[in-house]
C-alpha cells in the first residue's frame, strides 16, 4: 500500500516521517546532530583565526572575538609583509613545494610503472626493497649524520633529496596502473615502442587521477614541513621555510628562553605591535594555499587513499 | 640417465640465455628503476648502517675503522637512566591513547556519516572533515593552543558559560592534561581523513544485504550493527595492525609543538629524548641507541599484533 505522494514540502515531510519507525527517526536525529557538531568543531577554529587576523590588534587583547572581526583592519597583514623572514620563507616554501612535487611525481611514476610490469625480472626484489622502508628507518640521528656526511646541511637540496622516493606513493600509482588494461601496452609494443616510450606516451596520460592524488600528498607534505628546516637549515636565514618562521613566532611566547636569539628578537618586534592578531594573520597566510587546493582534488585523493590501503 | 643430464643441461643453458635475453630486452625498465633503487639505498638503508654508532664511542670526523667499539654500554646507560622510563611511559601512553581514539572515532564517524541520506550534506560534512588534515601541525598546534587558552579560549569560555567550571582551566600548563590535549588535537586533525578508507569499505558492501535486512524488518540501527560493521571488519583489522606497527613511531611533532617547559615531564617522547640528549648535546651514539630501541619495540609490536590477529581472525597483512 503506497501512500499518496504529496508534492507540498509539508506533505513530503509527513510522508517521510510516516515511512520510518520511531527507532529510525531517533537515529536520524542523532546522526544529523552529530554532523552539525562535527562541522562546527572543525570550522569554528578556522573562522575564529580568520576573524582575529582581520581585527585591530589592540582591540583583540580585550578578547571575545568569535567569527567576525570587531574592528576590521588590514594592518596585521600589512605588517607581516614587511617582515623579511616571511618573504624569504614564502619563496623557499613555494620553491620546495613545486620542485619537490615534480621530482617526486617523476620518480614515483617511473618506479611504479616498472613495478606494474608483471614480466619485469627485478620486480619482486624492488617491491620488497621499497616496502621495507615503510616499516624500518634509521631514525633521527643516523639520518642527521648521513645528511652531514653528504654535505647537504645548509643547502636547499636537503628539502628535496632525502624524501624523493616514497614507497607509499609508488604503491598508490602502481595499483592504479595495475587497473589499466594491459592490451594498451601490448599494442604499443607491437607498434615498436620501447618501455620508456610506453611509460611516457601511454601510461602517464592515463594515470592522471593517481598522479593528482600523489601530487597532493607531496605538495601538502612539502608545504607543511618544518622539522627538516629546524634540523638542517634553522640557522641559515636564506633557507628557512614559512612553516618554520611561523613555528618560531608561535613558540616564542611559550618557550622564549629556549629559542635562538634571532627568534626572540623577532618575537619582541612582533610583540610590540601585537601578538595575537599578527600571529593569526601569519597562520592564515600559511594555511590558505592548501585550503584553496584541496576541495578540487578531493575526488582524486579519496580514490587514491582507497587504492593505497587495499594494496598495501 | 645420461640423456636426462644432457637435457637438463641444455634446459639450464637455455634459461640462462633466456634470462640474459630478457634482461637485455628489459633494459629500459632497468634504466627507469635502478637509479631510484640506489637512491633508496642511500637515503633509507645507509642510515640503518648508522646503527653501528650505538655500539661505538662515535666521534665525528673519524672513519668507521677508527671508531672505538664499546658494545652495549650505551644501552646499559639508557636502561639505567630514570628519565628514560618517564619518556617511555609518555611515549606508550600517548601512542596507546592515540591508537584507541584514532581507531574508534573514525569508525564511528564513518558509520554515522554513512547514515546521512542527503547527498549534499554528506559531501559537505566529508569535505569539511578533511580540512584540518591539510594544515601543518605548526598551524594545528597554534589553533589548539588558541582554543584552549585560559584567557579567551573558546573551550574555557564555553565551559564557564555552561557553569561546568568556575575558573578557566590552564590546559597548556598542566602536565596531567597534556596527554589529553595531544589526543584530542589528533582526533580533531585526523578523524575525517582516517574515515575515508572506512567509507570506501562501506560503499563496497552489497546493497542486497540491506535489502534482505529491510525485508526482515531490521531497523537502521540494526542494519548498521549487523551488516555495515561486520562488512568493514577486515579493513578495521588491517588498519589496526598497521597502526600498532607504527605505535612508537607516531612521531614527535605534536609533542614538540604543543609542549612547553611546564609540561615537559609528560610531553617528552622517545624521539624528542633522542633529539635533546643525542643531537643537541652531541651524544650521537647514545641518541642512536634510543632510536634503535624505538624501532625494535615497534617491530616486535607489529609482529605480535599480526600474529594474534592471524590466529583469531584469519586476517593479516603478512
Amino acid at each position: 500500500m503506497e501512500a499518496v505522494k504529496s508534492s507540498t514540502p509539508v506533505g513530503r515531510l509527513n510522508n517521510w516521517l510516516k515511512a520510518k519507525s520511531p527507532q529510525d527517526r531517533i537515529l536520524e536525529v542523532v546522526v544529523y546532530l552529530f554532523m552539525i557538531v562535527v562541522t562546527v568543531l572543525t570550522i569554528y577554529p578556522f573562522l575564529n583565526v580568520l576573524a582575529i587576523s582581520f581585527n585591530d590588534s589592540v582591540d583583540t587583547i580585550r578578547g571575545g572575538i568569535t567569527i567576525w572581526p570587531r574592528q576590521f583592519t588590514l594592518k596585521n597583514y600589512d605588517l607581516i609583509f614587511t617582515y623579511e623572514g616571511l618573504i624569504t620563507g614564502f619563496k623557499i616554501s613555494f620553491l620546495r613545494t613545486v620542485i619537490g612535487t615534480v621530482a617526486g611525481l617523476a620518480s614515483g611514476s617511473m618506479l611504479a610503472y616498472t613495478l606494474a610490469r608483471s614480466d619485469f625480472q627485478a620486480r619482486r626484489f624492488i617491491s620488497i626493497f621499497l616496502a621495507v622502508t615503510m616499516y624500518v628507518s634509521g631514525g633521527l640521528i643516523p639520518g642527521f649524520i648521513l645528511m652531514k656526511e653528504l654535505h647537504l646541511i645548509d643547502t636547499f637540496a636537503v628539502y628535496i633529496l632525502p624524501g624523493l622516493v616514497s614507497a607509499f606513493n609508488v604503491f598508490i600509482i602502481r595499483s592504479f596502473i595495475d587497473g589499466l588494461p594491459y592490451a594498451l601496452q601490448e599494442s604499443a609494443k607491437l607498434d615498436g615502442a620501447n618501455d620508456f616510450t610506453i611509460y611516457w606516451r601511454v601510461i602517464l596520460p592515463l594515470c592522471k587521477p593517481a598522479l593528482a592524488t600523489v601530487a597532493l600528498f607531496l605538495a601538502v607534505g612539502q608545504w607543511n614541513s618544518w622539522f627538516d628546516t629546524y634540523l638542517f637549515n634553522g640557522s641559515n636565514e636564506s633557507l628557512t621555510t614559512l612553516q618554520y618562521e611561523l613555528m618560531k613566532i608561535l613558540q616564542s611566547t611559550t618557550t622564549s628562553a629556549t629559542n635562538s636569539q634571532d627568534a626572540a628578537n623577532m618575537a619582541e618586534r612582533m610583540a610590540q605591535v601585537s601578538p595575537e592578531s599578527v600571529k593569526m594573520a601569519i597562520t592564515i597566510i600559511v594555511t590558505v594555499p592548501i585550503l584553496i587546493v584541496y576541495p578540487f582534488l578531493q575526488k582524486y585523493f579519496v580514490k587514491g587513499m582507497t587504492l593505497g590501503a587495499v594494496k598495501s | 640417465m645420461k640423456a636426462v643430464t644432457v637435457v637438463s643441461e641444455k634446459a639450464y643453458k637455455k634459461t640462462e640465455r633466456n634470462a640474459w635475453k630478457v634482461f637485455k630486452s628489459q633494459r629500459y625498465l632497468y634504466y627507469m628503476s635502478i637509479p631510484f633503487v640506489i637512491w633508496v639505498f642511500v637515503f633509507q638503508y645507509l642510515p640503518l648502517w648508522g646503527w653501528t654508532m650505538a655500539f661505538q664511542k662515535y666521534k665525528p670526523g673519524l672513519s668507521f675503522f677508527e671508531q672505538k667499539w664499546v658494545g652495549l654500554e650505551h644501552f646499559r646507560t639508557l636502561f639505567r637512566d630514570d628519565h628514560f622510563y618517564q619518556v617511555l611511559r609518555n611515549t606508550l601512553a600517548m601512542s596507546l591513547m592515540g591508537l584507541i581514539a584514532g581507531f574508534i572515532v573514525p569508525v564511528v564517524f564513518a558509520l554515522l556519516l554513512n547514515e546521512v541520506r542527503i547527498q549534499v550534506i554528506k559531501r559537505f560534512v566529508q569535505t569539511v572533515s578533511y580540512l584540518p588534515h591539510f594544515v601543518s601541525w605548526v598551524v594545528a598546534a597554534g589553533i589548539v593552543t588558541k582554543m584552549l587558552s585560559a584567557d579567551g579560549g573558546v573551550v574555557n569560555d564555553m565551559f564557564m558559560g555552561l557553569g561546568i567550571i568556575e575558573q578557566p582551566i590552564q590546559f597548556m600548563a598542566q602536565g596531567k592534561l597534556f596527554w589529553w590535549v595531544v589526543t584530542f588535537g589528533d582526533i580533531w586533525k585526523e578523524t575525517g581523513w582516517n574515515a575515508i578508507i572506512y567509507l570506501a569499505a562501506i560503499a563496497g558492501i552489497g546493497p542486497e544485504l540491506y535489502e534482505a535486512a529491510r525485508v526482515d524488518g531490521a531497523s537502521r540501527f540494526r542494519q548498521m550493527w549487523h551488516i555495515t560493521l561486520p562488512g568493514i571488519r577486515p579493513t578495521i583489522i588491517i588498519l589496526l595492525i598497521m597502526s600498532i606497527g607504527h605505535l612508537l613511531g607516531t612521531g614527535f611533532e605534536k609533542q614538540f609543538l604543543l609542549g612547553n617547559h611546564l609540561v615537559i615531564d609528560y610531553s617528552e617522547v622517545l624521539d624528542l629524548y633522542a633529539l635533546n640528549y643525542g643531537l643537541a648535546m652531541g651524544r650521537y651514539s647514545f641518541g642512536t641507541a634510543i632510536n634503535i630501541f624505538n624501532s625494535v619495540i615497534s617491530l616486535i609490536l607489529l609482529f605480535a599484533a599480526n600474529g594474534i590477529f592471524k590466529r583469531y581472525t584469519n586476517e593479516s597483512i603478512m
Side-chain angles (χ1 to χ4, degrees):
Chain A
M1 265 262 295
E2 190 71 9
V4 184
K5 293 257 190 237
S6 173
S7 53
T8 63
V10 177
R12 244 186 276 155
L13 184 70
N14 235 345
N15 281 339
W16 176 77
L17 286 172
K18 259 188 242 154
K20 301 205 163 152
S21 69
Q23 263 181 318
D24 283 359
R25 253 174 279 154
I26 293 170
L27 182 83
E28 201 99 327
V29 171
V30 169
V31 163
Y32 284 103
L33 275 180
F34 184 81
M35 292 308 142
I36 291 170
V37 171
V38 168
T39 310
V40 171
L41 279 181
T42 314
I43 292 187
Y44 178 82
F46 288 103
L47 294 179
N48 186 233
V49 168
L50 191 66
I52 293 175
S53 78
F54 280 116
N55 198 60
D56 181 74
S57 47
V58 182
D59 178 67
T60 303
I61 301 167
R62 281 172 47 213
I65 294 176
T66 51
I67 59 169
W68 208 250
R70 199 162 38 212
Q71 290 186 20
F72 183 85
T73 174
L74 290 172
K75 251 183 8 213
N76 306 313
Y77 287 93
D78 266 352
L79 185 85
I80 58 178
F81 281 116
T82 60
Y83 171 54
E84 194 78 17
L86 286 185
I87 309 289
T88 320
F90 196 91
K91 271 187 218 149
I92 296 291
S93 284
F94 181 77
L95 261 184
R96 71 175 287 179
T97 304
V98 172
I99 297 174
T101 305
V102 172
L105 274 184
S107 68
S109 60
M110 246 190 257
L111 254 182
Y113 167 64
T114 63
L115 295 185
R117 281 279 300 266
S118 54
D119 57 328
F120 182 36
Q121 282 169 320
R123 187 174 91 128
R124 212 183 132 69
F125 168 75
I126 296 175
S127 292
I128 294 171
F129 192 74
L130 270 180
V132 167
T133 65
M134 287 172 50
Y135 289 98
V136 192
S137 76
L140 201 61
I141 289 169
F144 180 83
I145 304 272
L146 179 74
M147 293 307 131
K148 208 164 143 185
E149 282 176 8
L150 292 174
H151 299 288
L152 288 174
I153 288 176
D154 272 342
T155 65
F156 180 76
V158 81
Y159 295 140
I160 309 292
L161 298 184
L164 185 69
V165 181
S166 140
F168 184 73
N169 292 343
V170 171
F171 291 143
I172 286 182
I173 306 177
R174 188 190 67 179
S175 333
F176 187 84
I177 301 176
D178 278 341
L180 299 173
Y182 192 66
L184 288 169
Q185 298 190 36
E186 288 286 73
S187 61
K189 209 170 256 177
L190 286 178
D191 289 341
N194 68 35
D195 291 326
F196 184 78
T197 319
I198 296 174
Y199 156 75
W200 187 251
R201 307 282 290 270
V202 180
I203 299 296
L204 268 197
L206 291 171
C207 271
K208 273 180 203 145
L211 294 179
T213 310
V214 171
L216 181 74
F217 290 166
L218 287 166
V220 170
Q222 286 284 357
W223 182 261
N224 282 346
S225 179
W226 61 275
F227 190 70
D228 47 9
T229 313
Y230 174 81
L231 208 52
F232 304 119
N233 291 341
S235 54
N236 191 333
E237 270 173 27
S238 60
L239 286 173
T240 57
T241 51
L242 202 51
Q243 301 283 348
Y244 178 71
E245 294 294 337
L246 176 66
M247 190 276 284
K248 278 201 301 191
I249 293 163
L250 290 181
Q251 296 270 304
S252 59
T253 47
T254 47
T255 53
S256 52
T258 58
N259 266 313
S260 68
Q261 193 55 39
D262 170 49
N265 284 342
M266 234 278 298
E268 209 175 289
R269 233 192 80 190
M270 292 277 174
Q272 281 167 0
V273 236
S274 109
E276 214 48 35
S277 284
V278 173
K279 276 189 209 165
M280 294 306 125
I282 300 170
T283 306
I284 293 294
I285 296 287
V286 172
T287 313
V288 157
I290 295 279
L291 296 194
I292 293 172
V293 183
Y294 95 99
F296 296 105
L297 290 166
Q298 183 174 343
K299 64 173 182 202
Y300 295 126
F301 69 66
V302 169
K303 215 181 255 168
M305 275 293 282
T306 322
L307 269 177
V310 171
K311 275 283 173 175
S312 67
Chain B
M1 192 64 196
K2 204 181 166 195
V4 173
T5 327
V6 170
V7 168
S8 65
E9 214 167 84
K10 235 185 194 167
Y12 174 72
K13 271 197 177 147
K14 204 174 162 196
T15 54
E16 194 185 43
R17 225 185 7 251
N18 273 345
W20 177 245
K21 236 175 99 182
V22 173
F23 177 75
K24 261 179 73 181
S25 76
Q26 294 184 342
R27 63 186 184 280
Y28 283 99
L29 293 177
Y30 281 100
Y31 295 154
M32 288 164 74
S33 55
I34 294 299
F36 299 116
V37 170
I38 296 169
W39 209 281
V40 169
F41 177 76
V42 169
F43 286 102
Q44 307 274 1
Y45 281 82
L46 275 189
L48 291 178
W49 173 251
W51 279 15
T52 53
M53 275 192 302
F55 307 98
Q56 301 164 344
K57 202 179 166 114
Y58 179 81
K59 282 212 181 95
L62 294 183
S63 82
F64 179 71
F65 299 101
E66 290 162 340
Q67 303 289 352
K68 195 177 149 211
W69 292 85
V70 294
L72 293 173
E73 194 195 296
H74 297 297
F75 288 95
R76 256 178 256 132
T77 320
L78 183 66
F79 294 134
R80 257 191 255 119
D81 184 4
D82 286 339
H83 192 59
F84 164 73
Y85 293 98
Q86 194 186 44
V87 171
L88 183 63
R89 177 202 66 180
N90 295 343
T91 313
L92 286 175
M94 278 183 269
S95 300
L96 277 174
M97 285 168 76
L99 180 76
I100 295 166
F103 147 79
I104 293 173
V105 180
V107 172
V108 172
F109 176 64
L111 282 176
L112 291 180
L113 189 63
N114 185 51
E115 296 300 321
V116 174
R117 292 295 140 92
I118 305 167
Q119 285 306 310
V120 183
I121 295 182
K122 190 174 169 181
R123 278 191 62 89
F124 174 76
V125 175
Q126 210 179 345
T127 306
V128 164
S129 72
Y130 303 145
L131 200 150
H133 172 79
F134 288 97
V135 305
S136 68
W137 262 112
V138 177
V139 170
I143 288 176
V144 169
T145 313
K146 177 91 196 64
M147 295 299 130
L148 294 178
S149 109
D151 60 335
V154 65
V155 176
N156 271 317
D157 283 357
M158 205 172 70
F159 282 171
M160 301 245 288
L162 292 171
I164 300 174
I165 50 171
E166 301 267 299
Q167 288 286 314
I169 303 172
Q170 302 275 352
F171 283 104
M172 305 311 291
Q174 286 186 35
K176 291 211 169 93
L177 290 176
F178 186 79
W179 295 349
W180 295 99
V181 170
V182 166
T183 306
F184 278 103
D186 217 10
I187 292 176
W188 178 74
K189 196 169 181 306
E190 304 297 341
T191 294
W193 184 254
N194 291 337
I196 292 181
I197 294 170
Y198 299 119
L199 283 166
I202 291 173
I205 299 171
E208 67 279 358
L209 291 173
Y210 293 102
E211 209 81 49
R214 258 199 298 277
V215 171
D216 289 345
S219 69
R220 291 258 300 271
F221 181 77
R222 291 193 77 90
Q223 290 173 34
M224 207 160 97
W225 188 255
H226 290 294
I227 300 171
T228 316
L229 205 53
I232 59 172
R233 205 181 74 141
T235 314
I236 293 177
I237 291 170
I238 286 179
L239 289 182
L240 189 61
I241 297 171
M242 278 166 63
S243 42
I244 290 173
H246 291 129
L247 201 59
L248 294 195
T250 48
F252 50 95
E253 259 192 286
K254 298 165 259 193
Q255 288 82 0
F256 185 106
L257 294 166
L258 286 167
N260 55 59
H261 59 278
L262 293 172
V263 296
I264 195 144
D265 285 350
Y266 292 87
S267 69
E268 199 171 29
V269 288
L270 279 168
D271 273 322
L272 282 182
Y273 184 48
L275 183 72
N276 293 336
Y277 287 80
L279 211 51
M281 294 184 178
R283 293 166 67 189
Y284 294 147
S285 293
F286 185 59
T288 309
I290 302 171
N291 285 156
I292 292 178
F293 177 79
N294 203 340
S295 295
V296 169
I297 296 286
S298 295
L299 276 180
I300 292 172
L301 287 171
L302 177 70
F303 282 108
N306 195 54
I308 292 167
F309 282 109
K310 206 175 205 166
R311 187 134 173 221
Y312 292 105
T313 66
N314 291 321
E315 302 282 347
S316 74
I317 51 165
M318 279 174 286

